[in-house]
Amino acid sequence: VPLAMAPRQEARDGEDYAYHMASCLCNGHVDFQTDCSGTVRCAQRGPLWACRPGSTRAHLWSAFHTAFDDSRTFTVTKVKAHATAADVEADRITWWQRAGNRLADEAAKEAVEILRRRRRGWRC
């Protein structure tokens, strides 16, 4: 997440920024799937909740809720984080959701490592 958009650089910033970017880059209906309860609440409860005073990510959610008006729709599915094969077998998550969540987590960890290397002056 660009530092100017999320100076605290927390994991939740990445989740919310993804929704923000989807509102800018996607057309038509968008189906979001995320493991972050806070992000799910901000999407589902609307701008009064997501952009309330004191919200550190209100600027991201303002753009999101402006983009998704009556002409554009979205759905949000909360998926289980760190799911196991047993979770899939118990129908708590699908194989597809588990794979997507795992890949997103791996990409986030890789990005953090790249940033750490750059801060130490390493070239990637």
Side-chain angles (χ1 to χ4, degrees):
V1 179
L3 193 57
M5 297 295 282
R8 295 165 62 176
Q9 294 292 294
E10 298 172 340
R12 169 80 186 277
D13 294 327
E15 299 276 353
D16 291 7
Y17 186 70
Y19 279 63
H20 168 76
M21 290 305 298
S23 74
C24 300
L25 300 173
C26 298
N27 290 318
H29 179 82
V30 180
D31 179 24
F32 294 97
Q33 299 193 25
T34 185
D35 64 1
C36 181
S37 296
T39 299
V40 170
R41 281 191 300 272
C42 283
Q44 291 179 335
R45 292 184 181 176
L48 291 178
W49 169 265
C51 304
R52 66 193 182 282
S55 173
T56 59
R57 297 169 195 90
H59 60 295
L60 300 176
W61 288 107
S62 176
F64 175 86
H65 286 294
T66 299
F68 284 97
D69 55 16
D70 293 335
S71 64
R72 290 183 63 199
T73 60
F74 68 92
T75 55
V76 179
T77 303
K78 168 72 170 75
V79 298
K80 182 170 177 34
H82 313 291
T84 64
D87 291 318
V88 175
E89 294 301 323
D91 290 327
R92 289 187 282 270
I93 192 168
T94 67
W95 282 108
W96 181 252
Q97 290 168 329
R98 180 178 180 239
N101 190 259
R102 189 182 73 246
L103 290 171
D105 287 347
E106 289 172 5
K109 288 176 186 173
E110 184 177 329
V112 168
E113 185 57 33
I114 289 169
L115 288 173
R116 284 184 183 144
R117 288 180 184 165
R118 286 184 181 166
R119 286 183 186 141
R120 291 184 206 134
W122 295 4
R123 288 267 170 184
C124 297

